[in-house]
Structures are given as C-alpha cells and as structure tokens.
Amino acid sequence: MSAQAPSAVILIRAERFIPNPATAADNAFQREVPVGQPEDSTRASALAEMDAVAQALRDAGVRVHVFDDKDHTRPDSVFPNNWISTHAGGMVAVYPMYASNRRHERRADVLEMLKSQYRVQTIVDYSGLEPDGIFLEGTGAMVLDHVSRVAYTARSYRADTHVLERFCTDFGYEPMAFEAVDSAGVPVYHTNVIACIGTEVALIALEMIPDESRRRQVRERLTVNGRTVVELTEAQIREFAGNAVELCGRTPEGRRRYIMAMSARAHRSLRPEQVAAIEESCEIVSVDIPTIELAGGSVRCMIAGVHLDRRRIDVEPELTDAVLAINEDHPVTADGRYVDA
C-alpha cells in the first residue's frame, strides 16, 4: 500500500455550517452566501454535501469515520485537516489555528477514537503556540509528500516557518517553503488549494510561485521519484482543482483501488489531457459541494487522512496479573494488598 494514500479518513458532519466571517480577510477563495438565502437552507445544503462526500468515499471502499458537530460556534469544523494529521509509525500532530473561533474544533473524542482503533504511539501538540501568535494549520498549511518526506509550504499567516521546522524535525520531513501569490499579488492562504501530491502524480500551480528558481526546485523535488506533474492554471485553482487528495479504497472484490477525491467543480475545470494523466495511476471520484466551497475550501480540506496502523479489534488483549489486580472486579493483589481505593 502506498504511504501517500490513506485507506481511512475522518470527516466532521457540521450541522451549523456557514462561511466563517473570521477567516474571510485572508481567504481569497471564500464567498458570501447568496443574498436572501436563509441560514437553515445553507446548513441543509451543506449537510447533504457532507453526506454525499462520505457516501462517495465509502462506495470507493475507503473507511470513513464521521463525527457529528452541532456547535454553532464552530462554523469551519467541516475542515478537520487543519487541526490534526496522522503519520506512519503511530504519530499524531495537533496544530495551532489562526482564527480564534476555530481553536475549539480540536476534539478529544477524535483522538480517543484514533487511540482505540489505531496504533497511536505519540501525540505532538503544537497548539500551545497560539498565544504567541504562531500558527501552522496542518495539512492545509502543508502539503506532505509521505514517500519522499517533504513538507511543501506556502508562507502565510497560517504557516509559520519556525513551527514548520519544528514539525519537520519531530516527524522526519524536509521543509520546502516558498512564496505563492495570485495574479493580484495576494498570498495563497493554504498550500493545499494550489497543490496535491499523490503517489505517482502531483497537481500544482507552479505559475503561482513567483520565484523562478524556487519554482524549478519545487518541480524537480516533486519529480525526483518519477512522479508526473500536472501543472494547473490559476483559473483552475479558483475552481479548487488543486484541493484534491489521493486515497486508497477497495473494489467489491477486495482489491486495492487508488482514487483522487475532488469536487465536481474541480473535475470540470480539468482539461482532458490532465484527467488522462491523473487516471494513469488513480481514478477520479468527484462530488458536487458548492455550498461548502463558499467557505473557501473543498474536498481535500474536508478530509483528515488516517495514516496509522489499524488495531485488531477482534482479539482481546491478554491482561497481565498486575493489570488484573487493579481491575474493579479484582481489588486485591497477589500479595494481599487492597487496591480498590
């Protein structure tokens, strides 16, 4: 199985979704809800889109963990990849968030699920950097090459390079930071809107990296292992063509099936030769999510991939005498001491 494409994902079913006013200032992809559209209608449409994404991934054979969120103070909780990432070897990262009303999106129940169903060895929590005004919004701020161990990062308020270097030291990645701007000179707020890295293909808007030398270095690094680079235009980026993610599903017969998940809007923006290049290694699975895209993110933003080894839940762990001794049904240890205090 490819280290790049997880076979399980976490989705948040945000029942009180609206585009977040606190993130509109630096998210050039964010749009207002159509004038006159009731909030209840917006929320109902967004829920239907969230459910459609979950079902499309399940239909592709991807394991989907869905968590409900009814909290009206978390308008962007549908985008969990900004606060959590998981990594081979049992490591989990928790990130500092730029918008203050996004910081309580971090959920203990998600971490507990990971610990109970997957092998988690270490959780590294960088969220304590928020009071210092230092942020790194997970796999929104970074696009990770899990094969070559490179963290591609467009510098922004949401991607501090000092935290990036700490993350790379802790998790064993090489940092590759660069400037990325649109044609108006506005910095790209999240790297994952301009780049997607799969096992054998990468989608990226190299034209949005103004430094020609750095642009060339990024391209060379992406292709060093023979990966095909599909160059996207800024117009395609506006259609969220870069906000895709490779996943590993299963066919009904149980064979591996690599997919590239993206929105229908993103899919429609691709030229036939770009689609052909992607489909040489994975199948495109697209879902229409126009309401969620009002918030400035698309399918990739909705998905937190699980790169952890799954626990065997059909096997009961063998308890030692010491563990049995402190069980509430066995309050006395072998030496006669009473431990049910």
Side-chain angles (χ1 to χ4, degrees):
M1 186 176 296
S2 167
Q4 191 67 26
S7 58
V9 300
I10 296 166
L11 301 180
I12 305 296
R13 192 174 187 271
E15 297 186 15
R16 307 297 294 272
F17 169 88
I18 57 169
N20 185 357
T23 60
D26 71 332
N27 184 342
F29 295 82
Q30 194 165 322
R31 296 291 180 266
E32 296 287 340
V33 173
V35 176
Q37 180 170 300
E39 283 193 2
D40 286 347
S41 175
T42 301
R43 291 166 178 162
S45 296
L47 272 178
E49 292 168 17
M50 295 173 208
D51 292 340
V53 170
Q55 191 57 52
L57 297 183
R58 290 191 187 102
D59 290 345
V62 177
R63 191 180 312 115
V64 180
H65 302 281
V66 176
F67 289 80
D68 285 320
D69 182 19
K70 300 180 181 181
D71 191 332
H72 72 282
T73 67
R74 297 194 287 227
D76 269 347
S77 63
V78 69
F79 302 135
N81 80 309
N82 297 152
W83 72 264
I84 187 171
S85 68
T86 66
H87 304 264
M91 297 187 72
V92 176
V94 176
Y95 296 98
M97 307 281 280
Y98 177 61
S100 59
N101 70 349
R102 296 202 62 192
R103 295 171 189 171
H104 62 304
E105 291 176 19
R106 295 184 290 257
R107 295 175 55 157
D109 58 346
V110 172
L111 295 173
E112 289 304 315
M113 181 280 292
L114 290 174
K115 289 190 286 186
S116 65
Q117 297 194 31
Y118 298 88
R119 297 193 180 278
V120 175
Q121 301 294 329
T122 305
I123 298 176
V124 183
D125 188 348
Y126 302 103
S127 64
L129 295 168
E130 286 168 348
D132 300 314
I134 299 173
F135 313 107
L136 183 69
E137 292 190 338
T139 54
M142 303 178 291
V143 174
L144 300 177
D145 183 341
H146 296 274
V147 178
S148 298
R149 312 298 293 179
V150 182
Y152 296 89
T153 307
R155 296 185 185 92
S156 73
Y157 291 123
R158 307 188 191 202
D160 184 277
T161 54
H162 296 92
V163 196
L164 171 66
E165 290 174 3
R166 283 181 56 178
F167 166 83
C168 289
T169 298
D170 293 338
F171 285 80
Y173 286 82
E174 169 197 343
M176 180 162 272
F178 49 84
E179 306 293 334
V181 298
D182 65 18
S183 55
V186 177
V188 171
Y189 85 104
H190 270 167
T191 316
N192 76 357
V193 295
I194 66 164
C196 161
I197 298 175
T199 305
E200 297 180 14
V201 66
L203 319 179
I204 185 169
L206 289 171
E207 69 176 35
M208 297 179 75
I209 302 175
D211 185 306
E212 292 186 13
S213 174
R214 198 58 168 159
R215 186 190 311 162
R216 184 173 59 255
Q217 290 168 357
V218 169
R219 178 181 242 291
E220 289 174 353
R221 197 70 182 86
L222 283 169
T223 58
V224 70
N225 290 329
R227 185 183 282 121
T228 298
V229 171
V230 175
E231 292 202 37
L232 303 175
T233 66
E234 183 179 333
Q236 289 175 316
I237 294 303
R238 293 286 178 191
E239 301 299 307
F240 294 103
N243 200 240
V245 60
E246 185 188 66
L247 303 170
C248 180
R250 293 280 176 178
T251 67
E253 297 74 33
R255 294 192 298 273
R256 286 181 191 142
R257 174 189 182 189
Y258 290 96
I259 68 168
M260 186 68 76
M262 64 176 61
S263 74
R265 175 181 174 183
H267 193 178
R268 288 191 295 268
S269 76
L270 296 173
R271 299 190 301 273
E273 67 271 19
Q274 293 173 318
V275 171
I278 295 167
E279 292 188 335
E280 285 183 8
S281 59
C282 49
E283 173 189 349
I284 295 175
V285 172
S286 59
V287 184
D288 207 16
I289 56 166
T291 310
I292 291 171
E293 287 176 332
L294 292 173
S298 191
V299 168
R300 199 285 167 255
C301 295
M302 297 173 66
I303 292 172
V306 181
H307 293 264
L308 302 167
D309 292 333
R310 199 178 185 193
R311 290 186 181 277
R312 287 188 59 189
I313 58 177
D314 59 329
V315 178
E316 289 290 330
E318 187 173 330
L319 303 182
T320 66
D321 290 341
V323 172
L324 289 170
I326 60 173
N327 186 289
E328 62 182 358
D329 298 325
H330 302 84
V332 180
T333 63
D335 62 3
R337 294 183 180 182
Y338 186 70
V339 296
D340 189 17

